Amino acid sequence: MNRSVVVALLLIVIAAGGGYWWWSQSQDTTVDDGPETAVDYRDPTPAEPTAREPEPPEYPVSDLSSDGVDAEDAQGEASSGDEAAEAGPAPLPPLAESDEAVRADLRALTGDMPIEGRLVPRRLVQRFVVWVNSLDGQIVPVTKWPVQHVPGRPLVETRGDNRFEWLPANAERYQPYVRAFTAPDTDTMVDVYLRYYPLLQQAFAALGEEEDYFNDRLIAIIDHLLAAPPARERYLLVQPEVLYAFADPDLEALSSGQKILLRLGPEASKAVRAKLRDFRTALVARTTGDRAAGSNG
């Protein structure tokens, strides 16, 4: 499996599930490159930051430099020539030039599955990191997604005055994404994740998280997703304005990431959760932390 596959894999399932909640065809889905940071995704008037001592990572990725470059060197070692290629893995591309490698590896991974054409053309790693960082809260704007809007409208039936039912057939719209995420070997996914970790950390730092650790954040997000309630085939919906919402206030109050797993349907949700659990276990086993890997087993 090629080197940036894990970034693409995680991007596929997160983005595919999140995309279909923005159901209205009147939404502006024009791709917006936006700023290099995520300031515009957050409270426009954040509180003044307070000084704090950096905390050690809970799940540190060991020896980042042994498999390529570290975060500071990634920008300057994109082209080291044939000598580096013969000596070992090619250096990581600079973050700003990583899109082509991600897209090429995703094409090789998915074959004839129509995934590559769903990706936005620019800043895939950065958008992926922003997306992951949002999954325990509110979804980021549609123009900031790493993938194009999922085609087609949701399948619903009217059940009364401002009452609609989400139908089981919706699950078929997302099967290519689910298969692309669940099929690859988990250990290989972890290998590639650790290889590309410097770029992920670099993109995370660009969000203003310089003192935090993306690996810790990813594991926390996985734990949060695994705590979602079981998915069902049908849901009662309301349409307070343009977009649909869960009629059950407890479901509507869930985070954007947990809603993703509900909307995938029971079988796909189970498959994605199992893959997330396996990935978490394998990843934590490869870190130098002391915590057990299987807290969500």
Side-chain angles (χ1 to χ4, degrees), residues 33-106:
D33 279 347
E36 289 298 321
T37 70
V39 172
D40 61 325
Y41 307 153
R42 301 180 178 186
D43 187 338
T45 57
E48 289 294 324
T50 57
R52 64 182 176 91
E53 289 293 328
E55 297 181 359
E58 189 169 9
Y59 299 100
V61 176
S62 61
D63 195 13
L64 288 177
S65 62
S66 65
D67 193 23
V69 298
D70 60 24
E72 293 182 357
D73 293 337
Q75 293 290 341
E77 298 186 8
S79 57
S80 58
D82 296 338
E83 182 177 334
E86 295 174 0
L92 294 175
L95 176 61
E97 300 174 13
S98 60
D99 289 330
E100 182 177 351
V102 172
R103 297 179 74 91
D105 286 333
L106 185 55

Side-chain angles (χ1 to χ4, degrees), residues 2-9 11-12 31 93 97-111 113-125 127 145-148 196:
N2 291 320
R3 291 172 177 166
S4 59
V5 167
V6 73
V7 173
L9 287 172
L11 184 154
I12 288 168
V31 173
E97 300 174 13
S98 60
D99 289 330
E100 182 177 351
V102 172
R103 297 179 74 91
D105 286 333
L106 185 55
R107 284 194 297 269
L109 169 72
T110 58
M113 289 189 288
I115 301 298
E116 194 273 340
R118 306 293 189 199
L119 297 175
V120 299
R122 296 173 294 275
R123 298 178 60 225
L124 290 171
V125 172
R127 290 169 184 269
W145 294 352
V147 295
Q148 306 287 350
Y196 268 75

Side-chain angles (χ1 to χ4, degrees), residues 101-176:
V102 172
R103 297 179 74 91
D105 286 333
L106 185 55
R107 284 194 297 269
L109 169 72
T110 58
D112 60 354
M113 289 189 288
I115 301 298
E116 194 273 340
R118 306 293 189 199
L119 297 175
V120 299
R122 296 173 294 275
R123 298 178 60 225
L124 290 171
V125 172
Q126 296 94 320
R127 290 169 184 269
F128 167 67
V129 169
V130 169
W131 191 283
V132 169
N133 198 41
S134 75
L135 287 176
D136 59 356
Q138 298 300 311
I139 201 168
V140 296
V142 61
T143 55
K144 307 297 182 182
W145 294 352
V147 295
Q148 306 287 350
H149 193 283
V150 176
R153 290 179 175 271
L155 303 175
V156 300
E157 289 183 354
T158 303
R159 293 292 185 239
D161 185 23
N162 194 29
R163 290 291 185 273
F164 308 88
E165 187 174 28
W166 173 266
L167 300 179
N170 281 294
E172 291 300 318
R173 300 172 63 202
Y174 313 106
Q175 278 304 306

Side-chain angles (χ1 to χ4, degrees), residues 225-282:
L225 295 177
L226 293 175
R232 305 198 301 262
E233 289 188 337
R234 298 173 183 268
Y235 295 98
L236 186 63
L237 310 173
V238 295
Q239 194 175 25
E241 295 181 358
V242 176
L243 305 177
Y244 293 106
F246 288 111
D248 184 336
D250 291 335
L251 297 183
E252 184 57 27
L254 295 175
S255 68
S256 61
Q258 290 182 337
K259 288 177 182 177
I260 289 172
L261 290 173
L262 298 192
R263 298 171 198 137
L264 290 178
E267 294 306 315
S269 180
K270 288 178 183 177
V272 169
R273 290 175 203 239
K275 193 65 170 183
L276 288 172
R277 189 176 293 109
D278 288 348
F279 182 85
R280 182 196 190 281
T281 299

